[in-house]
């Protein structure tokens, strides 16, 4: 039904022009016992982005957040009558309200930012999925218990198996299916060094003000650094890039600790 | 059964040459044709069969191949108790009913003859049952339109699979909306006076509820044990384990529906009590139905509730072919604890041609953004007058399938809370009644279901409801 899609997107666009309401909620899985590495990275990236924009929101944990989301992925925000899922749609939804972190950039810088954001999406996000669902020890010791923590027996096993086969299929389509763990670590290494070279010694990627790219990098790297996994090599690769660590610390201090105090 | 028409019975012959042949239909079993080998007179006499002594020497069952002997012996054994010829005939008739009930045979004929051979007694008779067993595999492919989609249905049945009336049935349907429904059930009748039957079913079913904005896929296992406590009262004890997957049908679904999405597991025990003395399940002319369902969910899984549902129906024939029907349904659902949820698919809904006429499907009760949310208590009742079509066109033929239908129906659906607020919320349930009346035509589809075309006039409704003024069409099996 294409007409429905069209009217929905028009409605989304019209509604998006209204100002930011007070009761915006961000839905995500339970952070302590449920959330997995890739989801946590995405949730943290969206949180960082909204905080950088100075928009108020409330985090609402739900065990079925993934199923509630219109796209099937977390996080999603409920803004008035609208539900918008994932970082990119949320960025464009916020842009429609006239709020943007990257409007000061010129077109070359904007293209640059887009390129680095898609690098993160294609490398870091897939690497997180690979470690979480394809690495046997992580799957057994971390992923399955956490994924199944909110589900009754025997659904916890059935759905974990179902989710794993979906992820494996997706990674296979993207060409990550036959990679070994070492090759995945190599990809991460390359991605981090590219980001590190772009960042140099600036506080943020594009000068003194954070952009969408900073939010995304923070979301992924901070999650990788703070998530305990059986194999710690993922975090130790990231630790090899001090300027990226500095970026994470800066964003945490500026946007997360400040709100915690308030 | 006391009188028999016969052509000629010489006084010295009692049952020597009496032959009785029962045809397969029940009607002819009532009338027995006696024929004497010697006389050809057409004079009619009545003899009293009670006085004719008889003893069943042998019973043959002809045509058995895979049906096991033990269940046949258990079925026909009572016939040996017969002491006179009338008891033989009545007993043979009963046995035929039981054999039909086994679900193993296509048609059954009865033949009664005097017994012969070395062990024959002077008053002995032999009863022979001619049976034809059902084929090993029965199957079919059909198409089905309903539930907003068309689907292809493939079904297969293996009757009498192990020779004791066991049945394996499977059905698979694939719809144009890519929903697939699967059902595999195994039925095993057990021996005993209470007519006990065990059924195990594995199922997968997809359903869409546009009026509530969600769709559901349900997979599960159902174990059922049914038995009669008295001939008319049937009990079903069930255990059901069901994995339900609920998802939103569109982006614009109400957030209250969106919150309910995701997988859930229900493990419940159920007791269904049915008392049915109606003369037909579809458009009956007399008799009542009482059905009480109690379900307790929460033995494992993350769904927990206690659900009661009551269904009453009574029918009276006023004048020739004018039937008055009164119905009442009521249900109540309570949570059992805070750690287990109640899903939207467990709630009660009201409205629609099969539920409360004069309202759209699920059109009564709490709504949000146009989606029906359901509630935990409801009641509905109706008064119907069924008459033949005006001027009775097609009487004795097609016209008998149609009935004119006048009705008044009323009901309500709302959330009722236990504790302090209970009296007020019960009062609301009684006060904010929805009501509609109308006239229409009902068409009986065999004994399987019925079609209704009604003109409805809703008279009492509230702002959040979705009344349906005018023509409403309904097709289904269970009509209130």
């Amino acid at each position: 039904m294409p007409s429905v899609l069209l009217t929905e997107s028009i409605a989304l666009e019209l509604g998006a022009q209204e100002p930011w309401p007070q009761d915006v909620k961000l839905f995500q899985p339970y952070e302590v016992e449920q959330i997995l590495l890739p989801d946590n990275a995405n949730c943290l990236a969206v949180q960082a982005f909204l905080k950088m924009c100075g928009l108020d929101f409330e985090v609402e944990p739900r065990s079925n957040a993934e199923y509630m989301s219109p796209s099937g992925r977390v996080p999603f925000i409920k803004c008035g009558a609208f539900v918008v899922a994932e970082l990119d749609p949320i960025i464009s939804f916020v842009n429609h309200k006239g709020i943007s972190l990257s409007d000061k950039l010129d077109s070359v810088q904007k293209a640059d930012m887009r390129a680095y954001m898609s690098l993160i999406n294609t490398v870091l996000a897939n690497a997180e999925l690979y470690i979480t669902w394809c690495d046997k020890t992580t799957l057994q010791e971390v992923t399955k218990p956490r994924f199944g923590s909110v589900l009754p027996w025997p659904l916890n096993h059935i759905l974990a198996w179902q989710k794993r086969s979906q992820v494996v299929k997706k990674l296979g389509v993207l060409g990550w299916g036959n990679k070994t763990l070492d090759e995945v670590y190599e990809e991460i290494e390359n991605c981090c060094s590219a980001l590190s070279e772009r960042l140099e010694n600036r506080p943020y990627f594009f000068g003194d003000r954070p952009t969408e790219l900073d939010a995304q990098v923070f979301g992924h790297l901070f999650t990788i650094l703070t998530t305990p996994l059986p194999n710690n090599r993922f975090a130790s690769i990231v630790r090899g890039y001090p300027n990226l660590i500095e970026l994470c610390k800066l964003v945490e201090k500026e946007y997360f600790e400040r709100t915690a105090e308030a | 059964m006391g009188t028999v028409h016969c052509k000629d019975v010489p006084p010295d012959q009692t049952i020597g040459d009496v032959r009785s042949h029962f045809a397969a239909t029940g009607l002819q079993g009532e009338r027995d044709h006696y024929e004497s080998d010697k006389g050809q007179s057409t004079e009619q006499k009545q003899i009293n069969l009670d006085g004719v002594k008889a003893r069943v020497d042998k019973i043959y069952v002809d045509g058995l191949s895979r049906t096991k002997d033990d269940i046949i012996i258990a079925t026909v054994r009572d016939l040996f108790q017969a002491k006179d010829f009338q008891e033989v005939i009545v007993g043979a008739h009963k046995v035929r009913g039981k054999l039909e009930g086994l679900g193993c045979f296509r048609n059954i004929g009865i033949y009664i003859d005097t017994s012969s051979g070395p062990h024959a007694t002077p008053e002995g008779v032999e009863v022979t049952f001619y049976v034809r067993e059902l084929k090993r595999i029965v199957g079919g492919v059909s198409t089905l339109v309903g539930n907003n989609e068309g689907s292809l249905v493939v079904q297969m049945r293996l009757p009498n699979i192990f020779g004791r009336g066991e049945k394996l049935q499977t059905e698979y349907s694939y719809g144009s909306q890519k929903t697939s429904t699967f059902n595999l059930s195994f039925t095993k009748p057990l021996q005993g006076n209470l007519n006990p039957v065990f059924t195990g079913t594995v199922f997968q079913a997809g359903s869409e509820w546009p009026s509530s904005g969600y769709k559901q896929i349900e997979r599960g296992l159902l174990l059922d044990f049914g038995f009669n406590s008295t001939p008319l009262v049937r009990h079903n004890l069930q255990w059901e384990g069901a994995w339900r997957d609920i998802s939103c049908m569109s982006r614009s679904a109400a957030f209250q529906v969106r919150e309910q999405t995701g997988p859930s597991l229900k493990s419940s025990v159920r007791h269904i009590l049915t008392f049915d003395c109606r003369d037909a399940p579809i458009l009956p002319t007399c008799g009542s139905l009482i059905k009480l369902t109690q379900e307790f969910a929460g033995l494992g899984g993350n769904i927990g509730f206690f659900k009661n549902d009551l269904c009453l129906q009574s029918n009276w024939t006023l004048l020739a072919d004018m039937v008055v029907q009164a119905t009442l349904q009521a249900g109540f659902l309570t949570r059992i604890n805070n750690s287990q949820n109640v899903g939207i698919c467990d709630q009660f809904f009201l409205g629609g041609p099969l539920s409360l006429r004069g309202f759209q499907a699920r059109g009564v009760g709490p709504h949000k953004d146009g989606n029906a949310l359901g509630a935990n208590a409801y009641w509905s009742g109706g008064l119907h007058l069924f008459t033949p079509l005006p001027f009775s066109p097609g009487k004795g033929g097609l016209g008998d399938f149609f009935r004119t239908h006048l009705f008044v129906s009323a009901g309500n659906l709302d959330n009722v809370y236990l504790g302090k607020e209970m009296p007020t919320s019960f009062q609301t349930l009684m006060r904010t009644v929805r009501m509609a009346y109308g006239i229409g035509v009902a068409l009986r589809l065999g004994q399987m279901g019925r079609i209704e075309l009604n003109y409805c006039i809703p008279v009492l409704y509230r702002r959040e409801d979705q009344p349906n003024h005018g023509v409403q069409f309904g097709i289904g099996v269970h009509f209130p």
Side-chain angles (χ1 to χ4, degrees), chain B residues 268-289:
Chain B
S268 67
V269 283
R270 206 181 290 140
H271 174 238
I272 305 171
L273 181 139
T274 322
F275 167 80
D276 192 353
C277 65
R278 297 174 299 169
D279 58 343
I282 309 289
L283 295 177
T285 59
C286 65
S288 304
L289 168 77

Side-chain angles (χ1 to χ4, degrees), chain A residues 107-181:
Chain A
S107 58
V108 179
Q109 283 176 317
K110 270 184 185 168
D112 223 18
M113 185 186 84
R114 287 273 145 215
Y116 278 97
M117 283 179 82
S118 77
L119 174 76
I120 291 170
N121 274 337
T122 49
V123 179
L124 280 189
N126 288 341
E128 286 160 8
L129 283 175
Y130 186 96
I131 304 262
T132 312
W133 292 101
C134 300
D135 178 42
K136 287 233 164 54
T137 37
T138 314
L139 180 69
Q140 292 302 335
E141 286 174 27
V142 179
T143 311
K144 273 190 176 173
R146 285 180 75 85
F147 184 83
S149 64
V150 293
L151 296 166
W153 184 90
L155 280 193
N156 51 359
H157 296 288
I158 300 171
L159 290 176
W161 170 80
Q162 209 178 35
K163 175 85 183 175
R164 180 177 184 265
S165 45
Q166 278 171 12
V167 172
V168 168
K169 201 171 156 190
K170 185 190 162 187
L171 289 177
V173 170
L174 296 171
W176 282 63
N178 298 325
K179 280 195 165 74
T180 61
L181 200 55

Side-chain angles (χ1 to χ4, degrees), chain A residues 173 211 241:
Chain A
V173 170
T211 58
Y241 298 90

